[in-house]
Amino acid sequence: MSQHSVEQVEVAPGEVVTQHLVEVPMSPSRRIGIGAAIVVIGLIAAVLLGKSAGSSSTRFDLNGSGADLTVPTFSVPGTGLIIACGVVIIALGVVQIVRGFGKRALRYVGIAVALLFIVAFLTWAGTEGKQSVQVGSLLQQTLFLATPLILGSMAGLMCEKTGVINVAIEGQMLFGAFAGALFGTIASNWLGLLAAVIIGGLAGALLAVFAIKFTVNQVILGVVINAFALGLTGYLYDAVMANDATSTNQPAVFNPIKIPLLGDIPVVGSLLFNQTIITYLMYVIVIVIDVMLLRSRWGLRTRAVGEHPKAADTVGINVLRLRYRNVILGGCIAGLAGAALTIGSVGQFNKNMTSGQGFIALAALIFGRWTPRGALGASIFFGFASALQTALSLLATPVKIDSNLLQMLPYLATIFAVAGLVGRVRAPAADGEPYVKG
Amino acid sequence: MSTGGDGPDLSKREPKAEETAEQSAVQGDTELKRAESGDDRTRETITQILRSDHPAVVTVLAVICAMIVGAILIIASDGPTRDAMKYFTAAPADTFNAAGWAVRDAYLAIFQGAIYNPNAGQKLAPISETLVYATPLILAGLSVTLAFRAGLFNIGAQGQILMSAALAGYIGFAWDLPAGIHIVVAIIGGIIGGAIWAALAGVLKAKTGAHEVITTIMLNYIAVFFVNFLLTESWFQAPPFSQAVSRTVDGNAQFWHLFGSDLRVNFSFVLAVLATAFVWWLLKYGTFGFRVRAVGANQDAARTAGMSVSSTYIWVMVVVGALAGLAGVSQILGSANNYQVTASVDGGVGFTAITVALLGRGTAWGTFWAGLLFGALTAGSGQLQASTSTPPDLVQVLQALVVIFIAAPGLIRLIFRLRRSSAGGSAVLAKGWNG
C-alpha cells in the first residue's frame, strides 16, 4: 500500500519544486514490533502505575513561580486517570499492530504516547496526596534546563547540515561560559554575552580550520578541542578567577524580561514570555534556522553542501567558504549556550561546568534526526527528564524511585532512537567528510 | 547509518590510508637498505627524514610547539612577570628574566614530578608515579587504538572502565576466595564487565547500524548513573554509608607492588606491557587482527572477500572492551584509587585515552609510548601544583595541544616548511556518521 503524494516545495524564493513523495510501507515485523512496544508502555502505565498508586486524588498546580495571574489548582481522580491514559496508549498500540499508522502519523502517535505516559506518571506521583504536583514550575525548570541544550544542538545543526561533524559543542560551550562570566564581571553582562558569542565563534573557527583546511578527522578533532577547552578554561580559572573571584568571577546575571500582554497569559505567559534575553535569543535562533534551512538560498546551499559537496561545487557554490561560515556561526551559538550556563543562570563559572551538556546536545541533535524541530523536541525531552528528577525528589511518590536510574532514561532513549526503534536516523550524506577539490 | 549504503564512496576513500601505510612500510625498507649501503647515503637519508613529515619528526615538533604555546600561557599567568611588565620600558630585561624563570620552573617541576627529583626522599618515586598514571592510559589507549584499526571510534572507554571497576571491585570485596585465585577471578570479572559494555555498542552497530560514537557516549552516562546507583545500595557502599564510595577490595585481590610498598607502581603495569605485546601480535600476525584491519580499511572489500563485517564489529568491540576493562582493573585493584569504587574511578582516563591512541598513530607500541608520555605529564602536574604557582591544568592543555598538532600534520608542515612524504598523513581514517 505504497502511498504516492505530490507536494510543492519552495526551496528558495521563487523556486518551486514539485516533490513526489513515495511512502514506503513499513515491514510487518517492524509494524508489529513498534505496536507491541506501545502496548507494553500502556500496560506499564495502566497496570504497574495504576496498581501501585496511592488512594488519594492528585492535585495539580499549573502556575509557575512569578506569575501574576494564576489559575486555581485542581484535583483529578488519581487511579482513574492513570488507567484511562494507559488504556488509550494500549488502544493506539493495538491500532498500530493491526493496520499501522503512516510515517507522519506515527510520529504524532509517538508524541501522544509520550505525553499520555507523562500525564499518567505525574498523576501517579501525586497520588499520596501530600503535596500538589507543581506542573508549572516543572515546566519552567524544563525550559531553563533545556535552553543551553537547545542552543547547543542548534550549534551542532549548523555544522552538521553543512557537512562538518561537531563533537566539540561541549568545549565551545565551556569557552562561552568562561568568557561570559569573565567579561560579564569586568565589563557588563551584555559585553559578557557578546564575548561569549565571539569566543564561541573563535572555537568554531578552530574547528573549521582544522576540519576544513587540514582535513583532520572531525570526531577526533572534537574530542581534542573538548580536552583543550577543559584544560584551558581550568588553567585560566586557576590563574585568573580562583584568587580574585569578586573582580573576575561574579557577573551580574540577566533578569527575566516580561513581554507585555503575552507575559500576562496565565500558565503559558509566565512559562514562555517571562524569560531572560538568552532564552528569547534561543527562540529567535530556532525559528530563524528552521525557516531559513528550508526556505532560503542559504538553507538550500547548506543542505546541498552537506549532502553532496561535489555537486554543489559544480553548480558554483563555494563549498569551503560556506562550511567555514556555518561552522563559525555554529560556534557562536554554542558560545551563547555556554553563556546561558553562567550569566544566564548562576553567574559564576566553575571548572568543567558544562559537565557533558554539550554531548547531550549532540545526542539531542541526532535524536532529532538533524532537523531543527526534532533537535528542539529532543532537547526539551532531555531538559524535562532532568527537571522531573528534581521535582520527584521533592514529592512523596507512592514508590520511591531512585534518581540515578531515572537520570539514565534520556540516554537509554537516545540509544533506542539511534538503534532505529523510532525510525531510521540518517545524517547528512557528506557529514564528517572533508571536501578536497578536484 | 547503514553499514553498506554508500559503497562507492567508501571504496574510493579508504584504500588510501592502507596504501599510504603500505607505502610507508616499503619506503621504510628502502631507507633501511640505503642506510646499510654507505655513510654518505645515510647522512643524506637522515637529513631527508628530518626535513620531511616523518611521524617521529612530526611528533617531536608537535611536542615542541605545544611547549611553546604552554610557555606563553605560563608567562601570561605568572605574577612576577606581570609585575615586571609594569616597568617594561624602564627595564625590559626584567620582564624577560621573570618570564624565563617562570617557564623554567614550570617545566622543571613537571620533569621532577615525572622522571627524577633530586630533592625527594624516595628518588624513584616520580618514575613510579609516571608508571602508575601511564598504566590505565596505555590499556585504555590500546582499546581505542584497536577500535581505530577496525574503523570504529571507542569514545566509551570511560563507561567500560566504570563497569569493569564496579564488577572487579565487587568481586574483590564481596567474594571470599583464597589468595592467588581471588585476584585472577577479579581481573576476569573486570575484563568481562568492560567487554560486555563495549559489546553492547558493537551489537548495536552490527545489527542496527547505530553509530558507535553516540551509543558509547550514551553508555558512558548510563555507566556513571549505574555506579552512582550502586553506591547508594547498602551491599555495595562502604559503611557508615555517608560517602559515595564502595567497600574496600580485599588484600587478596589487590595487585602486589613491584618495588616495595613505598612505591605505588604495581603489577598492573606488567599487564599493560603484556597487553601491548598482545595487541601488537594480534594486529601483525593474528587472523582476527587481519580481519580487523581489513574491515577497518575497506568494509566492502572485506565483505566481498567473505568476511562477516558485523561479526567482526561485535568481536572487535568485545576485545576493545576487554582492554578497557583491564584499565578499569588497574584502577580498582591497583593503588590508584585506594581500592575503592567511586563514580570517578575512571579518573578521566577514557577521554585522555583517545588522545593517547591518536598520538600512538594506531600502533600498539606507539600507544604504549604515548601512554608513558601522558602518564609522565599527569605525574608532573602534581609537582607543578606543589612547587609552582602555575595551575596544574597546564598539563591538560599541553596534552590537547600535542594531539592537535599531531592530528594536523599539514599544520606542522606549514609551520616548519617540511616536505610532504608518503610516510606522513594521519593514521586514522576519516569517517562520517553514515560510515
Side-chain angles (χ1 to χ4, degrees):
Chain A
M1 48 161 211
S2 95
Q3 290 158 4
H4 196 96
S5 64
V6 181
E7 200 177 300
Q8 299 274 333
V9 180
E10 194 181 6
V11 290
E15 287 179 47
V16 179
V17 170
T18 309
Q19 285 188 339
H20 297 266
L21 300 170
V22 181
E23 198 164 291
V24 184
M26 201 179 278
S27 74
S29 63
R30 211 173 135 71
R31 191 189 75 215
I32 292 168
I34 291 175
I38 295 175
V39 169
V40 169
I41 293 172
L43 284 174
I44 290 174
V47 179
L48 272 182
L49 294 183
K51 256 205 158 151
S52 64
S55 50
S56 304
S57 55
T58 304
R59 242 175 326 123
F60 281 111
D61 185 354
L62 293 183
N63 301 298
S65 60
D68 293 335
L69 288 175
T70 55
V71 290
T73 58
F74 60 95
S75 293
V76 291
T79 320
L81 183 62
I82 296 168
I83 293 176
C85 286
V87 168
V88 176
I89 296 175
I90 294 171
L92 285 171
V94 170
V95 174
Q96 166 69 15
I97 291 177
V98 175
R99 47 177 286 263
F101 290 102
K103 210 172 186 180
R104 193 167 287 185
L106 188 60
R107 201 170 298 169
Y108 293 115
V109 168
I111 293 171
V113 167
L115 287 177
L116 283 167
F117 186 80
I118 288 167
V119 168
F121 184 80
L122 288 176
T123 312
W124 170 84
T127 46
E128 283 296 295
K130 295 201 177 89
Q131 305 107 320
S132 55
V133 181
Q134 304 283 341
V135 179
S137 64
L138 176 65
L139 293 180
Q140 275 182 332
Q141 194 64 17
T142 299
L143 182 62
F144 174 73
L145 293 172
T147 299
L149 300 180
I150 296 169
L151 285 168
S153 59
M154 291 304 138
L157 188 88
M158 289 289 288
C159 299
E160 307 219 349
K161 272 288 173 192
T162 194
V164 176
I165 290 179
N166 188 356
V167 183
I169 304 170
E170 171 92 359
Q172 294 166 342
M173 282 172 73
L174 207 49
F175 276 128
F178 179 83
L182 182 67
F183 289 93
T185 315
I186 56 180
S188 71
N189 53 9
W190 286 98
L191 276 174
L193 192 67
L194 187 66
V197 170
I198 291 172
I199 300 284
L202 285 178
L206 185 71
L207 176 73
V209 169
F210 279 91
I212 299 167
K213 181 166 172 54
F214 295 112
T215 61
V216 178
N217 181 300
Q218 292 159 11
V219 174
I220 286 174
L221 184 60
V223 172
V224 176
I225 289 180
N226 288 337
F228 180 62
L230 186 61
L232 190 59
T233 53
Y235 181 86
L236 293 174
Y237 175 83
D238 277 345
V240 181
M241 288 176 165
N243 301 322
D244 192 8
T246 42
S247 64
T248 52
N249 196 12
Q250 264 178 9
V253 294
F254 283 108
N255 290 319
I257 305 164
K258 190 170 191 174
I259 294 183
L261 285 175
L262 286 174
D264 288 328
I265 307 169
V267 185
V268 180
S270 65
L271 173 64
L272 294 179
F273 302 111
N274 188 13
Q275 292 290 346
T276 65
I277 180 74
I278 295 179
T279 311
Y280 292 131
L281 279 175
M282 180 269 284
Y283 297 161
V284 172
I285 287 170
V286 172
I287 292 169
V288 165
I289 291 181
D290 186 53
V291 172
M292 294 279 280
L293 209 51
L294 288 176
R295 307 204 173 275
S296 75
R297 181 199 297 250
W298 166 82
L300 178 66
R301 291 185 167 187
T302 295
R303 284 179 290 137
V305 165
E307 295 289 344
H308 202 317
K310 196 159 204 172
D313 195 7
T314 312
V315 296
I317 298 171
N318 191 332
V319 173
L320 301 188
R321 194 172 67 193
L322 190 64
R323 282 191 173 174
Y324 270 114
R325 195 188 295 165
N326 286 348
V327 173
I328 292 171
L329 272 176
C332 291
I333 299 174
L336 187 63
L341 295 173
T342 51
I343 48 180
S345 71
V346 292
Q348 278 184 4
F349 176 81
N350 275 311
K351 278 189 186 182
N352 192 19
M353 75 179 303
T354 45
S355 59
Q357 294 193 49
F359 284 111
I360 301 175
L362 178 68
L365 173 63
I366 293 169
F367 200 170
R369 305 160 183 232
W370 285 270
T371 63
R373 286 175 210 183
L376 175 74
S379 300
I380 291 174
F381 168 69
F382 283 124
F384 179 77
S386 327
L388 185 64
Q389 180 247 326
T390 329
L392 285 183
S393 64
L394 300 172
L395 264 178
T397 52
V399 179
K400 187 90 190 99
I401 297 178
D402 190 276
S403 68
N404 288 308
L405 298 182
L406 192 70
Q407 275 175 287
M408 278 183 200
L409 282 181
Y411 305 104
L412 272 174
T414 307
I415 289 182
F416 282 120
V418 293
L421 295 187
V422 291
R424 219 165 241 295
V425 201
R426 197 189 68 84
D431 200 3
E433 288 173 26
Y435 181 66
V436 184
K437 213 169 178 162
Chain B
M1 300 204 174
S2 72
T3 43
D6 40 3
D9 264 331
L10 284 171
S11 51
K12 223 190 307 172
R13 195 172 64 247
E14 289 177 5
K16 268 188 212 155
E18 187 74 337
E19 275 165 27
T20 42
E22 296 271 318
Q23 280 171 7
S24 73
V26 170
Q27 198 195 336
D29 284 352
T30 48
E31 273 166 10
L32 245 153
K33 276 178 205 145
R34 253 188 259 150
E36 284 160 3
S37 65
D39 277 345
D40 276 8
R41 302 289 290 272
T42 316
R43 209 168 296 138
E44 198 182 83
T45 327
I46 288 174
T47 358
Q48 257 176 17
I49 289 179
L50 285 182
R51 281 192 193 155
S52 72
D53 60 347
H54 190 273
V57 178
V58 171
T59 307
V60 171
L61 292 178
V63 172
I64 293 173
C65 285
M67 286 181 73
I68 292 172
V69 179
I72 296 171
L73 277 180
I74 295 169
I75 294 168
S77 73
D78 184 51
T81 314
R82 260 182 293 174
D83 291 343
M85 278 281 258
K86 284 173 192 152
Y87 55 91
F88 182 78
T89 44
D94 276 17
T95 306
F96 292 114
N97 225 348
W101 278 105
V103 173
R104 181 190 159 277
D105 283 350
Y107 286 135
L108 188 67
I110 293 179
F111 179 82
Q112 287 180 346
I115 314 284
Y116 178 75
N117 187 355
N119 309 321
Q122 171 55 272
K123 297 271 186 283
L124 289 173
I127 285 280
S128 156
E129 287 303 293
T130 293
L131 297 183
V132 167
Y133 286 115
T135 303
L137 286 177
I138 293 168
L139 288 165
L142 287 171
S143 150
V144 179
T145 292
L146 188 62
F148 273 158
R149 296 303 289 267
L152 298 171
F153 284 110
N154 181 23
I155 314 279
Q158 184 197 8
Q160 291 145 24
I161 290 173
L162 279 171
M163 296 310 275
S164 147
L167 194 53
Y170 175 73
I171 294 172
F173 66 70
W175 292 9
D176 198 15
L177 295 168
I181 298 175
H182 199 169
I183 189 159
V184 172
V185 174
I187 293 173
I188 292 172
I191 290 175
I192 291 173
I196 290 177
W197 212 238
L200 282 178
V203 170
L204 284 169
K205 168 105 182 171
K207 299 291 174 203
T208 71
H211 199 280
E212 74 282 358
V213 168
I214 295 307
T215 52
T216 50
I217 290 175
M218 295 303 123
L219 286 169
N220 281 346
Y221 285 105
I222 294 172
V224 170
F225 290 121
F226 181 69
V227 171
N228 268 326
F229 162 74
L230 289 180
L231 290 172
T232 59
E233 294 292 295
S234 58
W235 50 270
F236 199 87
Q237 195 181 5
F241 311 112
S242 56
Q243 282 180 306
V245 292
S246 77
R247 291 152 194 263
T248 308
V249 169
D250 247 22
N252 274 350
Q254 296 179 357
F255 282 125
W256 55 94
H257 291 250
L258 288 180
F259 306 108
S261 58
D262 54 340
L263 290 179
R264 291 208 301 156
V265 60
N266 54 62
F267 184 73
S268 59
F269 181 70
V270 178
L271 278 183
V273 176
L274 293 176
T276 312
F278 168 72
V279 172
W280 171 80
W281 172 84
L282 187 70
L283 286 173
K284 197 161 172 70
Y285 300 110
T287 319
F288 179 67
F290 180 73
R291 250 171 70 189
V292 166
R293 284 185 295 142
V295 169
N298 188 337
Q299 50 166 299
D300 292 320
R303 195 177 289 117
T304 313
M307 299 173 189
S308 162
V309 173
S310 49
S311 94
T312 309
Y313 278 150
I314 295 172
W315 284 108
V316 79
M317 282 311 275
V318 168
V319 182
V320 158
L323 287 164
L326 275 178
V329 165
S330 84
Q331 288 290 83
I332 183 65
L333 306 183
S335 48
N337 286 293
N338 289 327
Y339 309 100
Q340 287 175 309
V341 183
T342 65
S344 57
V345 73
D346 60 294
V349 165
F351 278 89
T352 316
I354 300 164
T355 48
V356 167
L358 195 63
L359 188 57
R361 287 172 181 270
T363 67
W365 288 105
T367 306
F368 179 81
W369 294 114
L372 276 184
L373 175 68
F374 276 29
L377 283 171
T378 314
S381 74
Q383 183 69 20
L384 192 62
Q385 187 165 31
S387 68
T388 69
S389 61
T390 306
D393 295 67
L394 175 71
V395 163
Q396 206 171 358
V397 180
L398 287 179
Q399 291 176 342
L401 282 172
V402 170
V403 179
I404 288 184
F405 286 119
I406 292 275
L411 182 64
I412 293 281
R413 270 204 299 270
L414 201 72
I415 296 173
F416 294 96
R417 313 217 163 274
L418 300 175
R419 265 176 292 128
R420 183 191 286 269
S421 76
S422 51
S426 174
V428 184
L429 314 167
K431 259 190 191 172
W433 292 130
N434 296 316

